Every structure is written in C-alpha cells, then in structure tokens.
C-alpha cells in the first residue's frame, strides 16, 4: 500500500477509457498484488505487485503505446503512468530516470518504449533479449522488461519470469485487446496477476472500462 500511495496524488483520478477492446487485469489474490486502476463499476483494469521481490505492473490495455506520443488516447493518465514507469525503473516513483534506460522486450515493439522514454526526456537502449528463452543472459542488464500480448507459452515460462522478479528485476505487462492466451497468463501468474475471463471486456458496459465521466 505504501508503494501505491507513492504513485498517487490529487490529480490521480484522471479520466480513462480502455474501450471494450481490452481485458480486466486483477490480482490473483490479495497477498499477490493490488489493484492500480479500477473502473467506475469496480472492474480492475491494472494491477501492481512487489510480492515476488521485484517490481511489476500489468495493464489490460496498451497504455504505454497510447502515451508514447502526445496524440494517443488517455493522455490524462500520463502523470500516473510516468510515476509507475519510473518506479519500475528506479524503485522510486518521484525519481528521475537514468539518462539511458536499458530495455528488454518480449512480444512488444521496442520503438514504442523508446518513444515514451524520449517523451520523458531520456533515451532507451534496446537489449534485444529473447526473454522467453531461459538460456538468455542479457536480462541481467535490463532496467525494465516489457512483455506484450502473445508471449509463447512453455512449461517453464512462469518460473522464468518469477526468477527475473526474484532477482530484483522489474516487469511491465501490456495487453492489447479483449482476447488472451496461455503465455499471457503464465507471465501474469509470475507477477501475481490474472486476466479477466473470456472474452475480456468485449461485452462490458461503459462503466466497466472507464474511470471518471
């Protein structure tokens, strides 16, 4: 709760619309993670966790992709998302990003991360890691690991991501539509989180995907 409090301020309750092309993304259990963004009707849209020893945030919509440029949707969420991203990278929500943020991506476009970091005044370095391959070693150099939807499922994927977190690494997960897959669930399980049931928010009312009015 102290971590969440450090992310919030009086302007946190900014409007948000994930649209129905999204997923709920909630804690597996109260001891595993905490809700970060909750819609008007109580649908958890994003969650945050430190349970595995590292830092993790998961979003049921690709909010980073929207905020990578000033023309994307949900711009009112930029201050909170910036503090969350900074917390993932540095451990402090109110800190400054390092001049170069070393990024490892899996099933997510590095260029989106680079654009967002540039918007914050920094530079992103692409480590070109295959994070789903247990033989990779470049993960050790990452300031943040970004997983997108569609990471290939495997028998050891949850343990692999858990190992990253237990080593003190930070993981950001970004979903991009109403569907889901086994690999997504395996990554999120390591983060102490889970997607909503099929078909996500596809049939959700407006209050299920929006914050504010």
């Amino acid at each position: 709760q102290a971590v969440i409090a450090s992310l919030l301020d009086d302007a946190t309750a900014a409007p948000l619309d994930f649209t129905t092309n999204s997923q709920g993304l909630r804690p597996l259990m109260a001891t595993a993670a905490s809700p970060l963004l909750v819609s008007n009707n109580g649908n958890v849209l994003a969650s945050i966790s430190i349970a595995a020893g590292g830092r993790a945030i998961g979003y049921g919509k690709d909010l980073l992709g929207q905020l990578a440029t000033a023309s994307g949707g949900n711009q009112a969420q930029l201050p909170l998302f910036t503090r969350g991203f900074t917390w993932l990278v540095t451990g402090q929500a109110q800190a400054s990003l390092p001049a170069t943020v070393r990024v490892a991506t899996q099933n997510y476009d590095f260029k989106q991360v680079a654009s967002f970091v540039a918007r914050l005044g920094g530079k992103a370095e692409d480590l070109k890691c295959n994070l789903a391959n247990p033989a990779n070693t470049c993960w050790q150099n990452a300031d943040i690991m970004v997983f997108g939807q569609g990471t290939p499922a495997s028998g050891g994927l949850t343990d692999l991501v858990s190992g990253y977190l237990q080593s003190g690494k930070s993981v950001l997960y970004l979903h991009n539509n109403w569907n889901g897959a086994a690999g997504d669930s395996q990554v999120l399980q390591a983060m102490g989180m889970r997607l909503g049931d099929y078909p996500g928010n596809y049939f959700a009312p407006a209050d299920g995907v929006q914050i504010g009015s």
Side-chain angles (χ1 to χ4, degrees):
Q1 297 301 321
V3 171
I4 295 176
S6 74
L7 299 179
L8 306 182
D9 66 10
D10 290 341
T12 294
L16 175 138
D17 186 359
F18 266 15
T19 77
T20 55
N21 193 27
S22 65
Q23 268 275 0
L25 203 158
R26 59 186 185 270
L28 275 170
M29 58 186 71
T31 55
S34 298
L36 180 61
L37 294 174
V38 181
S39 75
N40 293 343
N41 74 358
N43 185 24
V44 180
L45 302 174
S47 294
I48 184 170
S49 174
I50 57 172
R55 299 181 294 276
I57 298 180
Y59 292 88
K61 180 84 169 181
D62 182 11
L63 196 53
L64 187 153
Q66 292 184 310
L67 298 176
T69 66
S71 60
N74 289 310
Q75 292 296 309
Q77 289 292 320
L78 180 62
L80 176 59
F81 189 88
T82 297
R83 290 193 295 274
F85 187 89
T86 303
W87 172 74
L88 287 171
V89 173
T90 70
Q92 299 291 329
Q94 307 295 339
S96 298
L97 289 176
T100 300
V101 179
R102 298 169 299 178
V103 180
T105 61
Q106 178 69 49
N107 284 70
Y108 194 81
D109 186 359
F110 167 78
K111 294 190 291 293
Q112 297 274 57
V113 186
S115 178
F116 178 76
V117 173
R119 193 176 180 193
L120 301 185
K123 178 182 178 182
E125 175 187 348
D126 188 358
L127 296 182
K128 301 184 185 302
C129 277
N130 180 357
L131 291 173
N133 181 354
N136 93 84
T137 58
C138 46
W139 67 268
Q140 300 174 44
N141 299 319
D143 294 316
I144 186 170
M145 302 178 186
V146 181
F147 283 81
Q149 185 173 345
T151 297
S154 69
L157 182 58
T158 295
D159 288 342
L160 182 62
V161 179
S162 292
Y164 295 151
L165 290 165
Q166 290 165 11
S167 297
K169 293 299 180 178
S170 296
V171 173
L172 173 62
Y173 176 87
L174 301 154
H175 208 71
N176 64 19
N177 61 36
W178 54 265
N179 210 343
D184 307 328
S185 295
Q186 290 177 324
V187 172
L188 287 166
Q189 183 177 351
M191 299 164 65
M193 305 171 195
R194 58 160 293 185
L195 293 172
D197 297 325
Y198 180 87
N201 292 328
Y202 189 83
F203 295 113
D207 273 349
V209 294
Q210 295 178 358
I211 296 174
S213 59

